[in-house]
Amino acid sequence: MESIVILVLLTLLAAVLVAVVRTRSLFAAVVLLSAFSFLMASVMLVLDAVDVAMTEAAVGAGISAVLFLSALHLTKTTEAPPRRSALLPLAVAGITGAALLFGVSDLPPFGIAETPMHRAGPDYIARVPAETGIPNVVTAVLGSYRGFDTLGETVVVFAGALAVLALLKRRGG
Amino acid sequence: MTDLLARLGNIAGHYNLYIAILLMVAGLYVVIARGNMVKKLIGLSLFQSSVYLLYLTPGKILGGTAPVVDPRFAIYSNPLPHVLILTAIVVGIATLAVGLALVVRINEAYGSIEEDEIFARDEATVKREDRAASRPPRRAGKGAR
Protein backbone atom coordinates (compact mmCIF):
# COMPACT_ATOMS: atom_id res chain seq x y z
CA MET A 1 0.00 0.00 0.00
CA GLU A 2 2.73 2.47 1.00
CA SER A 3 4.65 1.56 -2.15
CA ILE A 4 1.63 2.32 -4.36
CA VAL A 5 1.07 5.72 -2.72
CA ILE A 6 4.75 6.61 -3.23
CA LEU A 7 4.56 5.36 -6.84
CA VAL A 8 1.59 7.64 -7.62
CA LEU A 9 3.09 10.66 -5.85
CA LEU A 10 6.44 10.24 -7.59
CA THR A 11 4.76 9.94 -10.99
CA LEU A 12 2.88 13.21 -10.30
CA LEU A 13 6.21 14.73 -9.23
CA ALA A 14 7.78 13.72 -12.56
CA ALA A 15 4.84 15.26 -14.48
CA VAL A 16 5.17 18.60 -12.63
CA LEU A 17 8.94 18.45 -13.20
CA VAL A 18 8.45 18.22 -16.99
CA ALA A 19 6.14 21.25 -16.86
CA VAL A 20 8.69 23.25 -14.78
CA VAL A 21 11.49 22.48 -17.23
CA ARG A 22 9.47 23.21 -20.40
CA THR A 23 7.65 26.44 -19.51
CA ARG A 24 9.08 29.77 -20.73
CA SER A 25 7.12 31.89 -18.26
CA LEU A 26 9.15 32.33 -15.08
CA PHE A 27 6.00 33.12 -13.08
CA ALA A 28 4.45 29.79 -14.11
CA ALA A 29 7.73 28.01 -13.35
CA VAL A 30 7.81 29.43 -9.80
CA VAL A 31 4.19 28.48 -9.09
CA LEU A 32 4.80 24.97 -10.50
CA LEU A 33 7.94 24.71 -8.36
CA SER A 34 5.79 25.49 -5.33
CA ALA A 35 3.37 22.68 -6.31
CA PHE A 36 6.42 20.46 -6.84
CA SER A 37 7.58 21.21 -3.28
CA PHE A 38 4.16 20.30 -1.84
CA LEU A 39 4.24 16.97 -3.73
CA MET A 40 7.80 16.45 -2.45
CA ALA A 41 6.55 17.11 1.11
CA SER A 42 3.84 14.45 0.60
CA VAL A 43 6.46 11.98 -0.63
CA MET A 44 8.58 12.73 2.46
CA LEU A 45 5.54 12.17 4.68
CA VAL A 46 5.00 8.72 3.16
CA LEU A 47 8.74 8.03 3.56
CA ASP A 48 8.21 8.60 7.35
CA ALA A 49 10.26 11.80 7.37
CA VAL A 50 7.56 13.88 9.10
CA ASP A 51 9.85 16.64 10.37
CA VAL A 52 11.45 17.01 6.94
CA ALA A 53 8.01 17.08 5.27
CA MET A 54 6.90 19.91 7.56
CA THR A 55 10.08 21.89 6.84
CA GLU A 56 9.80 21.28 3.08
CA ALA A 57 6.17 22.44 3.03
CA ALA A 58 7.02 25.60 4.99
CA VAL A 59 10.43 26.43 3.48
CA GLY A 60 10.36 24.80 0.03
CA ALA A 61 6.80 25.65 -0.94
CA GLY A 62 6.37 28.78 1.19
CA ILE A 63 9.51 30.84 1.77
CA SER A 64 11.33 29.92 -1.44
CA ALA A 65 8.22 30.78 -3.51
CA VAL A 66 8.03 34.15 -1.74
CA LEU A 67 11.75 34.77 -2.41
CA PHE A 68 11.38 33.80 -6.09
CA LEU A 69 8.28 35.98 -6.53
CA SER A 70 9.96 39.01 -4.93
CA ALA A 71 12.99 38.50 -7.19
CA LEU A 72 10.66 38.30 -10.23
CA HIS A 73 8.92 41.50 -9.10
CA LEU A 74 12.32 43.26 -9.10
CA THR A 75 13.43 41.78 -12.46
CA LYS A 76 11.49 40.20 -15.35
CA THR A 77 8.89 37.44 -15.57
CA THR A 78 9.57 35.99 -19.02
CA GLU A 79 12.49 34.04 -20.36
CA ALA A 80 14.10 34.95 -23.69
CA PRO A 81 13.88 32.29 -26.45
CA PRO A 82 16.98 30.06 -26.61
CA ARG A 83 19.86 31.16 -28.86
CA ARG A 84 22.15 28.15 -28.62
CA SER A 85 21.46 24.54 -29.48
CA ALA A 86 20.37 22.33 -26.57
CA LEU A 87 22.35 19.35 -27.89
CA LEU A 88 25.43 19.68 -25.65
CA PRO A 89 23.43 20.11 -22.38
CA LEU A 90 21.21 17.18 -23.42
CA ALA A 91 24.30 15.04 -24.04
CA VAL A 92 25.85 15.99 -20.66
CA ALA A 93 22.56 15.29 -18.84
CA GLY A 94 22.08 12.02 -20.75
CA ILE A 95 25.57 10.71 -19.96
CA THR A 96 25.21 11.67 -16.28
CA GLY A 97 21.81 9.96 -16.16
CA ALA A 98 23.17 6.79 -17.75
CA ALA A 99 26.07 6.64 -15.27
CA LEU A 100 23.68 7.15 -12.34
CA LEU A 101 21.29 4.46 -13.65
CA PHE A 102 24.24 2.06 -13.90
CA GLY A 103 25.25 2.88 -10.31
CA VAL A 104 21.72 2.56 -8.90
CA SER A 105 21.16 -0.95 -10.27
CA ASP A 106 23.37 -2.43 -7.52
CA LEU A 107 21.69 -0.63 -4.60
CA PRO A 108 19.40 -2.61 -2.28
CA PRO A 109 15.65 -2.53 -3.14
CA PHE A 110 13.29 -0.03 -1.51
CA GLY A 111 11.96 -0.50 2.02
CA ILE A 112 13.93 -3.45 3.36
CA ALA A 113 15.53 -3.34 6.83
CA GLU A 114 18.58 -5.54 6.11
CA THR A 115 20.87 -2.79 4.84
CA PRO A 116 24.08 -1.49 6.48
CA MET A 117 22.62 1.97 7.14
CA HIS A 118 19.90 0.50 9.39
CA ARG A 119 22.48 -0.52 12.01
CA ALA A 120 22.97 3.03 13.30
CA GLY A 121 19.31 4.13 13.32
CA PRO A 122 17.88 1.66 15.85
CA ASP A 123 20.80 2.46 18.18
CA TYR A 124 19.71 6.11 18.37
CA ILE A 125 16.04 5.09 18.75
CA ALA A 126 16.99 2.91 21.75
CA ARG A 127 19.21 5.56 23.38
CA VAL A 128 17.28 8.79 22.81
CA PRO A 129 14.26 8.40 25.16
CA ALA A 130 16.45 7.30 28.09
CA GLU A 131 19.24 9.84 27.56
CA THR A 132 17.24 12.94 26.59
CA GLY A 133 13.60 12.29 27.51
CA ILE A 134 12.45 13.49 24.07
CA PRO A 135 10.22 11.06 22.14
CA ASN A 136 10.97 12.60 18.73
CA VAL A 137 14.34 11.11 17.74
CA VAL A 138 14.99 13.60 14.91
CA THR A 139 14.60 16.60 17.24
CA ALA A 140 16.78 14.96 19.89
CA VAL A 141 19.60 14.16 17.44
CA LEU A 142 19.41 17.64 15.93
CA GLY A 143 19.38 19.46 19.26
CA SER A 144 21.44 17.22 21.55
CA TYR A 145 23.78 14.90 19.64
CA ARG A 146 24.48 17.20 16.70
CA GLY A 147 24.03 20.56 18.46
CA PHE A 148 27.21 22.07 16.99
CA ASP A 149 26.07 21.10 13.51
CA THR A 150 22.81 22.96 14.11
CA LEU A 151 24.82 25.95 15.37
CA GLY A 152 26.83 25.83 12.12
CA GLU A 153 23.56 25.77 10.16
CA THR A 154 22.40 28.88 12.00
CA VAL A 155 25.73 30.57 11.19
CA VAL A 156 25.19 29.75 7.48
CA VAL A 157 21.70 31.28 7.54
CA PHE A 158 23.08 34.38 9.34
CA ALA A 159 25.88 34.71 6.77
CA GLY A 160 23.30 34.34 3.97
CA ALA A 161 21.15 37.11 5.47
CA LEU A 162 24.23 39.38 5.79
CA ALA A 163 25.17 38.68 2.14
CA VAL A 164 21.65 39.53 0.93
CA LEU A 165 21.66 42.77 2.95
CA ALA A 166 25.10 43.74 1.62
CA LEU A 167 24.04 43.03 -1.98
CA LEU A 168 20.72 44.85 -1.90
CA LYS A 169 21.72 47.84 0.24
CA ARG A 170 20.78 51.11 -1.50
CA ARG A 171 24.01 52.95 -2.23
CA GLY A 172 24.18 56.68 -1.55
CA GLY A 173 20.66 56.68 -0.09
CA MET B 1 8.58 -15.77 -16.85
CA THR B 2 9.94 -15.69 -13.29
CA ASP B 3 13.02 -13.97 -14.67
CA LEU B 4 10.82 -11.26 -16.19
CA LEU B 5 8.85 -10.90 -12.94
CA ALA B 6 12.10 -10.61 -10.97
CA ARG B 7 13.31 -7.91 -13.36
CA LEU B 8 10.00 -6.02 -13.06
CA GLY B 9 10.22 -6.31 -9.27
CA ASN B 10 13.75 -4.89 -9.41
CA ILE B 11 12.51 -1.90 -11.43
CA ALA B 12 9.63 -1.28 -8.98
CA GLY B 13 12.07 -1.59 -6.06
CA HIS B 14 14.25 1.14 -7.52
CA TYR B 15 11.46 3.45 -8.72
CA ASN B 16 12.24 6.15 -6.10
CA LEU B 17 15.87 6.20 -7.16
CA TYR B 18 14.93 6.40 -10.86
CA ILE B 19 12.77 9.45 -10.10
CA ALA B 20 15.66 10.92 -8.05
CA ILE B 21 17.94 10.45 -11.09
CA LEU B 22 15.31 12.08 -13.35
CA LEU B 23 15.14 15.09 -11.00
CA MET B 24 18.94 15.34 -10.86
CA VAL B 25 19.35 15.13 -14.64
CA ALA B 26 16.53 17.64 -15.24
CA GLY B 27 18.07 20.07 -12.75
CA LEU B 28 21.49 19.69 -14.37
CA TYR B 29 19.98 20.25 -17.84
CA VAL B 30 18.17 23.44 -16.75
CA VAL B 31 21.32 24.83 -15.09
CA ILE B 32 23.44 24.21 -18.21
CA ALA B 33 20.98 24.87 -21.05
CA ARG B 34 18.98 27.89 -19.89
CA GLY B 35 20.54 31.34 -20.01
CA ASN B 36 18.00 32.96 -17.71
CA MET B 37 19.42 33.26 -14.19
CA VAL B 38 16.14 32.79 -12.31
CA LYS B 39 15.54 29.63 -14.36
CA LYS B 40 19.06 28.45 -13.47
CA LEU B 41 18.21 28.86 -9.76
CA ILE B 42 14.97 26.89 -10.31
CA GLY B 43 17.12 24.12 -11.84
CA LEU B 44 19.39 24.24 -8.80
CA SER B 45 16.33 23.78 -6.53
CA LEU B 46 15.25 20.74 -8.58
CA PHE B 47 18.76 19.29 -8.22
CA GLN B 48 18.60 19.81 -4.45
CA SER B 49 15.20 18.09 -4.25
CA SER B 50 16.70 15.08 -5.99
CA VAL B 51 19.34 14.85 -3.24
CA TYR B 52 16.59 14.96 -0.57
CA LEU B 53 14.82 12.05 -2.25
CA LEU B 54 18.08 10.13 -2.69
CA TYR B 55 18.84 10.43 1.05
CA LEU B 56 15.35 9.76 2.42
CA THR B 57 14.55 6.72 0.24
CA PRO B 58 16.95 4.18 1.80
CA GLY B 59 15.96 5.30 5.32
CA LYS B 60 12.39 4.05 4.88
CA ILE B 61 11.44 0.60 6.15
CA LEU B 62 8.18 -0.74 4.70
CA GLY B 63 5.74 -1.33 7.56
CA GLY B 64 7.73 0.97 9.82
CA THR B 65 6.56 4.28 11.25
CA ALA B 66 7.98 7.79 11.77
CA PRO B 67 10.83 7.91 14.34
CA VAL B 68 8.77 9.22 17.28
CA VAL B 69 9.17 6.70 20.09
CA ASP B 70 5.89 5.22 21.34
CA PRO B 71 5.33 1.90 23.15
CA ARG B 72 2.66 0.88 20.58
CA PHE B 73 5.22 0.64 17.75
CA ALA B 74 8.30 -1.51 17.30
CA ILE B 75 9.67 -0.72 13.80
CA TYR B 76 10.83 2.80 13.02
CA SER B 77 12.38 4.24 9.86
CA ASN B 78 15.97 5.46 10.14
CA PRO B 79 16.04 8.99 11.69
CA LEU B 80 19.59 9.93 10.66
CA PRO B 81 18.88 10.85 6.97
CA HIS B 82 16.02 13.05 8.24
CA VAL B 83 18.43 15.02 10.43
CA LEU B 84 20.88 15.53 7.54
CA ILE B 85 18.16 16.62 5.11
CA LEU B 86 16.60 19.06 7.61
CA THR B 87 19.98 20.84 7.72
CA ALA B 88 20.28 20.63 3.92
CA ILE B 89 16.87 22.27 3.35
CA VAL B 90 17.67 25.22 5.62
CA VAL B 91 21.13 25.75 4.09
CA GLY B 92 19.55 25.41 0.62
CA ILE B 93 17.11 28.26 1.26
CA ALA B 94 19.99 30.47 2.51
CA THR B 95 22.01 29.88 -0.69
CA LEU B 96 18.88 30.43 -2.81
CA ALA B 97 18.29 33.80 -1.11
CA VAL B 98 21.89 34.87 -1.82
CA GLY B 99 21.57 33.69 -5.45
CA LEU B 100 18.34 35.66 -5.97
CA ALA B 101 19.90 38.76 -4.38
CA LEU B 102 22.79 38.44 -6.88
CA VAL B 103 20.26 38.17 -9.73
CA VAL B 104 18.47 41.34 -8.57
CA ARG B 105 21.82 43.16 -8.28
CA ILE B 106 22.89 42.00 -11.77
CA ASN B 107 19.56 43.19 -13.17
CA GLU B 108 20.19 46.62 -11.59
CA ALA B 109 23.66 46.85 -13.17
CA TYR B 110 22.97 45.35 -16.62
CA GLY B 111 19.20 45.71 -17.09
CA SER B 112 18.97 42.03 -18.00
CA ILE B 113 18.99 38.59 -16.37
CA GLU B 114 19.81 36.72 -19.60
CA GLU B 115 23.36 35.36 -19.68
CA ASP B 116 23.85 36.04 -23.44
CA GLU B 117 22.85 39.72 -23.17
CA ILE B 118 25.10 40.23 -20.13
CA PHE B 119 28.10 38.66 -21.93
CA ALA B 120 27.39 40.79 -25.04
CA ARG B 121 27.32 43.96 -22.93
CA ASP B 122 30.57 42.97 -21.20
CA GLU B 123 32.28 42.38 -24.56
CA ALA B 124 31.06 45.74 -25.88
CA THR B 125 32.42 47.48 -22.77
CA VAL B 126 35.81 45.76 -23.13
CA LYS B 127 36.03 46.78 -26.84
CA ARG B 128 35.16 50.39 -26.03
CA GLU B 129 37.83 50.48 -23.32
CA ASP B 130 40.40 48.95 -25.72
CA ARG B 131 39.63 51.61 -28.32
CA ALA B 132 39.94 54.35 -25.68
CA ALA B 133 43.26 52.89 -24.52
CA SER B 134 44.74 52.67 -28.05
CA ARG B 135 43.79 56.26 -29.02
CA PRO B 136 46.41 58.41 -27.14
CA PRO B 137 49.52 56.83 -28.83
CA ARG B 138 47.99 57.44 -32.30
CA ARG B 139 47.38 61.08 -31.39
CA ALA B 140 50.96 61.38 -30.12
CA GLY B 141 52.22 59.95 -33.43
CA LYS B 142 50.27 62.57 -35.38
CA GLY B 143 51.73 65.31 -33.21
CA ALA B 144 55.31 64.10 -33.93
CA ARG B 145 54.71 64.32 -37.65
Side-chain angles (χ1 to χ4, degrees):
Chain A
M1 189 62 205
E2 279 172 311
S3 304
I4 297 168
V5 173
I6 294 176
L7 206 92
V8 171
L9 283 173
L10 286 176
T11 310
L12 279 172
L13 203 68
V16 176
L17 171 81
V18 171
V20 171
V21 173
R22 287 186 61 89
T23 180
R24 287 273 158 199
S25 157
L26 292 175
F27 186 71
V30 168
V31 174
L32 283 168
L33 192 70
S34 189
F36 176 90
S37 285
F38 269 120
L39 279 170
M40 196 59 163
S42 317
V43 171
M44 288 165 171
L45 196 68
V46 186
L47 289 174
D48 286 344
V50 281
D51 306 73
V52 188
M54 221 151 59
T55 313
E56 173 72 14
V59 170
I63 298 175
S64 83
V66 169
L67 286 177
F68 267 120
L69 288 178
S70 19
L72 286 186
H73 176 68
L74 293 171
T75 56
K76 296 170 182 64
T77 51
T78 46
E79 200 182 343
R83 293 191 188 173
R84 283 162 298 171
S85 143
L87 274 181
L88 180 69
L90 272 179
V92 170
I95 292 169
T96 314
L100 288 170
L101 277 178
F102 177 68
V104 152
S105 60
D106 273 347
L107 287 179
F110 174 64
I112 62 165
E114 295 83 26
T115 54
M117 75 174 287
H118 285 305
R119 279 178 218 147
D123 177 48
Y124 273 104
I125 288 166
R127 278 164 58 189
V128 159
E131 287 181 2
T132 64
I134 303 168
N136 188 336
V137 182
V138 176
T139 313
V141 174
L142 211 59
S144 302
Y145 298 93
R146 289 168 61 90
F148 276 112
D149 187 48
T150 308
L151 181 69
E153 175 191 328
T154 324
V155 170
V156 169
V157 173
F158 181 67
L162 279 185
V164 170
L165 279 179
L167 278 167
L168 296 184
K169 198 180 64 180
R170 294 269 162 251
R171 277 155 300 275
Chain B
M1 187 65 195
T2 40
D3 187 44
L4 185 74
L5 273 180
R7 199 168 292 169
L8 276 179
N10 194 34
I11 288 175
H14 287 108
Y15 190 70
N16 292 28
L17 297 171
Y18 293 147
I19 294 289
I21 290 173
L22 181 70
L23 293 186
M24 191 169 275
V25 168
L28 192 66
Y29 170 78
V30 172
V31 170
I32 301 173
R34 298 305 181 85
N36 187 293
M37 292 184 166
V38 174
K39 194 68 185 247
K40 269 182 199 291
L41 285 171
I42 290 175
L44 211 61
S45 300
L46 293 176
F47 198 99
Q48 279 176 346
S49 303
S50 119
V51 177
Y52 305 159
L53 192 59
L54 191 72
Y55 263 69
L56 292 175
T57 292
K60 168 75 179 164
I61 297 174
L62 282 175
T65 182
V68 181
V69 178
D70 189 285
R72 283 172 293 175
F73 299 104
I75 306 170
Y76 300 98
S77 291
N78 197 326
L80 296 182
H82 305 178
V83 178
L84 296 178
I85 294 308
L86 267 180
T87 309
I89 290 179
V90 176
V91 171
I93 195 77
T95 51
L96 177 73
V98 175
L100 284 171
L102 277 171
V103 170
V104 170
R105 187 70 193 83
I106 286 170
N107 186 55
E108 272 177 19
Y110 286 84
S112 170
I113 51 171
E114 299 285 339
E115 216 175 47
D116 296 329
E117 291 171 17
I118 291 166
F119 288 157
R121 269 198 63 170
D122 264 350
E123 267 171 33
T125 313
V126 168
K127 269 182 197 158
R128 212 179 306 134
E129 278 171 2
D130 280 353
R131 232 176 290 143
S134 60
R135 217 169 280 153
R138 222 183 293 153
R139 226 175 264 158
K142 267 179 198 167
R145 241 179 252 167

